[in-house]
Amino acid sequence: MKFTKMYGCGNDYIYIDGAKEKIAQADKEAFVRRVSDRHFGVGGDGVIFINPSKEADFEMEMYNADGSRAEMCGNGIRCVAKFVYDKGLTDKTDISVISCGKIKYLQLFLKDGKVDTVRVNMGAPELTAALVPVVCGQEQAVDETICVQGQDYKMTCVSMGNPHAVVFMDGVKELDIEKIGPYFENHERFPRRTNTEFVEVLDRQTVLMRVWERGTGETLACGTGACATVVSGVLNGLTDETVTVKLLGGELTVTWDQTENLVYMTGPAATVFDGAMDIK
């Protein structure tokens, strides 16, 4: 099976052209776990199949490293755009991609004839607690207290197609995320588990973010998490609408246009290598 290893801000996935490479649906969970392993497989934060679509230009079928299906990935969808353009599957620089029934619109920016950066219309943030979903006594979970391992934290919960709990705090660089991350992810207040962003506000236009991703663990970046972070920053009066989000793997520029109620994310996409693997 042919594949391409790609990353956006260090958030790396294995990309497969689903129109050419076939694998049974029942086999995908085990396949994803095996090839995502960084010691015994190709290595990545998960696998993304790029499929034909009747509703959009392409479909993104995304899986976390543990084999679980994910609704959306901001870094991953930018790499989908680079994949389809650089490999000649489209000659358009404005495309649409559907994932789990929701369509995103992407603008591709070229350098030397290949995609260098991508601006994604990530759509409207979902703030209704029941739809994030998060168990909450209020309609929205904004600056909501959550007790994790005996300690109280303040979280703001946003869905960008997948659930996020954003925690603003100091000392993000020193945080023992491997210790606390799994307890947030699997907390009883998150019916479908959650991605958790631990965020330090540097100024109104700049934040530092680390992320514990549902089904994967700490990753170098999370595009949807960066979007949820900016929405949360605005809701809590901590940031402006346009923010540079500093991640372990690079930087993303995110804007929450409150007039349109749309979130726009701009960032890089890069190819590491093409390869082939034996799937038997």
Side-chain angles (χ1 to χ4, degrees):
M1 174 177 286
K2 293 181 179 179
F3 68 91
T4 300
K5 178 75 177 288
M6 308 180 75
Y7 68 87
C9 291
N11 197 193
D12 60 335
Y13 291 90
I14 299 152
Y15 292 79
I16 296 171
D17 186 344
K20 296 178 180 178
E21 307 290 347
K22 304 297 183 182
I23 183 169
Q25 194 66 39
D27 297 332
K28 284 185 177 177
E29 181 178 341
F31 169 80
V32 168
R33 288 200 304 267
R34 178 163 64 89
V35 301
S36 297
D37 190 285
R38 297 189 185 276
H39 299 287
F40 299 103
V42 177
D45 292 327
V47 176
I48 293 177
F49 296 89
I50 302 170
N51 304 321
S53 172
K54 293 181 180 179
E55 298 86 0
D57 293 316
F58 300 94
E59 181 198 24
M60 178 175 79
E61 181 186 356
M62 179 203 166
Y63 294 85
N64 297 312
D66 68 352
S68 60
R69 182 76 187 270
E71 301 93 338
M72 174 50 59
C73 175
N75 291 312
I77 201 170
R78 294 200 314 276
C79 290
V80 168
K82 181 173 177 62
F83 184 103
V84 298
Y85 187 90
D86 288 2
K87 293 186 178 297
L89 303 182
T90 184
D91 60 0
K92 299 192 297 183
T93 54
D94 290 281
I95 66 171
S96 59
V97 177
I98 190 169
S99 179
C100 285
K102 294 185 178 181
I103 298 176
K104 306 299 182 189
Y105 298 92
L106 296 79
Q107 185 178 7
L108 287 55
F109 299 96
L110 309 181
K111 182 178 180 180
D112 299 327
K114 294 184 180 296
V115 173
D116 179 57
T117 58
V118 180
R119 185 174 190 254
V120 187
N121 178 347
M122 295 293 288
E126 178 58 69
L127 302 176
T128 304
L131 300 179
V132 171
V134 56
V135 176
C136 177
Q138 308 298 321
E139 183 178 353
Q140 298 180 356
V142 177
D143 199 32
E144 173 83 4
T145 300
I146 182 172
C147 183
V148 180
Q149 288 297 97
Q151 181 175 343
D152 285 345
Y153 296 85
K154 290 288 190 176
M155 66 175 181
T156 296
C157 297
V158 180
S159 174
M160 291 303 307
N162 52 356
H164 294 272
V166 180
V167 178
F168 292 101
M169 61 188 302
D170 294 325
V172 165
K173 288 183 178 179
E174 293 73 38
L175 176 69
D176 189 350
I177 198 170
E178 295 286 343
K179 180 179 179 180
I180 194 65
Y183 290 104
F184 269 93
E185 175 184 353
N186 298 289
H187 198 282
E188 62 185 4
R189 293 186 64 180
F190 304 112
R192 295 208 305 265
R193 298 185 293 165
T194 192
N195 303 280
T196 310
E197 287 72 39
F198 300 95
V199 182
E200 185 170 347
V201 178
L202 304 181
D203 57 50
R204 293 194 62 83
Q205 294 84 35
T206 318
V207 301
L208 176 65
M209 183 189 110
R210 291 176 67 187
V211 57
W212 183 267
E213 288 205 52
R214 176 185 59 170
T216 300
E218 184 175 23
T219 60
L220 297 182
C222 177
T224 53
C227 294
T229 289
V230 174
V231 171
S232 298
V234 173
L235 290 174
N236 286 280
L238 300 174
T239 69
D240 294 341
E241 289 188 354
T242 297
V243 177
T244 296
V245 183
K246 293 181 175 292
L247 307 148
L248 295 180
E251 296 183 355
L252 294 172
T253 300
V254 177
T255 297
W256 181 23
D257 186 324
Q258 293 186 81
T259 302
E260 294 182 305
N261 192 29
L262 294 173
V263 180
Y264 296 91
M265 173 194 61
T266 303
T271 297
V272 183
F273 63 89
D274 294 310
M277 59 183 137
D278 186 353
I279 63 172
K280 295 181 180 179

